Structure formats: C-alpha cells, structure tokens
Amino acid sequence: MLNVTGADDAASMALLLTTMHRLHRQLDDFTTQLYVAYDFGNESGLVPAIVIESHAAGPELRTHHRFGFFAQGDSDVSELRFSAGVTITSAGCTVEAMVDVDLERPLGEFGTDAHTLYLERIDQLSLTDALSRLEEQVTALCAMGDVPNRLGFDTH
C-alpha cells in the first residue's frame, strides 16, 4: 500500500493522481460526446466524478461517468455507467473497468434490472503496470460508442 513518507512514495502518489486525472478527462470527453450525440430524453443528465473510497483491502480511486435518464412512461431514474479505477492492496494493485446499466423498464435489447455490458478486472499488479493497464481499459471504454444505440437511444 502507498504510504507517502519518502521521495519514491511521493512520486508514486503523484503518478497515480496525475494518471487518474488524465484518464478521467479522457473518459469525460468521450461520455460528453455520447451525451451530445444521443437523445437521452428530457431531464436526463451526465455526472462525472472521481471517487476515493477506503475498503478493507485498501484504498480505491475510481472515475465514474453516470448518465441518468427516464425510460418512456417511467418516473424512476435509470442509469448508464462507465467507470474505471485502481485499488491499492498489500498484494498489489487491482484495476477494473466497467460499463453497466440499471434499468427501471426494458430498453433496447435489455430488460429491467442491472446489466453488465463490459467488465475487466486484473489483480496483483505493480502500480506502474496497473496504471498502464488502466490506460488500456479506459481506451477500451472510449471505443464503446454503440452502447446508447444498444439501449435504443436515437441520435440527434
């Protein structure tokens, strides 16, 4: 686990934070393009966030990009989520990227409930390997421009 007490630890922390910031911006640019290109309906929204959480295994730093929208005739919010992050554990780093959707009503090719459209998780990496792999995962997420179409959303 990172414990910023020395120059190497501080450099590792700086690498982690600057890489996550850059990947957050990259995913933000992509999801904003999706939001502009597709008609998610009235009162829809896109909320990007960087979340830091403490887990029993270790700290997690994750970028979330959530589309909130209402299915036709529904008063409950459905969500489409793109996320990627790294967890730092005593056994090494874990990276995970995911696209999932939580639907209150059937939409496109998906029924009501939560669906995972993409998930990749890799454990026991060094920090530099984890960040390199996370960059590849975010690139893969940014190639999923067909997801709104699969949900039945029309382009503008």
Side-chain angles (χ1 to χ4, degrees), residues 75-131:
S75 61
D76 294 322
V77 176
S78 292
E79 286 188 343
L80 167 62
R81 298 175 289 255
F82 288 78
S83 66
V86 60
T87 303
I88 301 166
T89 72
S90 59
C93 295
T94 299
V95 292
E96 180 181 84
M98 174 186 275
V99 177
D100 67 324
V101 63
D102 191 359
L103 299 174
E104 297 298 321
R105 287 189 181 245
L107 193 58
E109 61 186 69
F110 302 97
T112 303
D113 211 353
H115 305 276
T116 301
L117 310 179
Y118 174 82
L119 173 64
E120 182 181 60
R121 179 185 171 105
I122 304 168
D123 297 315
Q124 300 180 337
L125 299 169
S126 69
L127 180 62
T128 54
D129 288 344
L131 295 178

Side-chain angles (χ1 to χ4, degrees), residues 51-55 58-62 64 66 86-87:
V51 178
I52 300 172
E53 295 181 344
S54 180
H55 300 285
E60 176 185 37
L61 183 59
R62 179 170 289 276
H64 288 280
R66 298 174 188 214
V86 60
T87 303

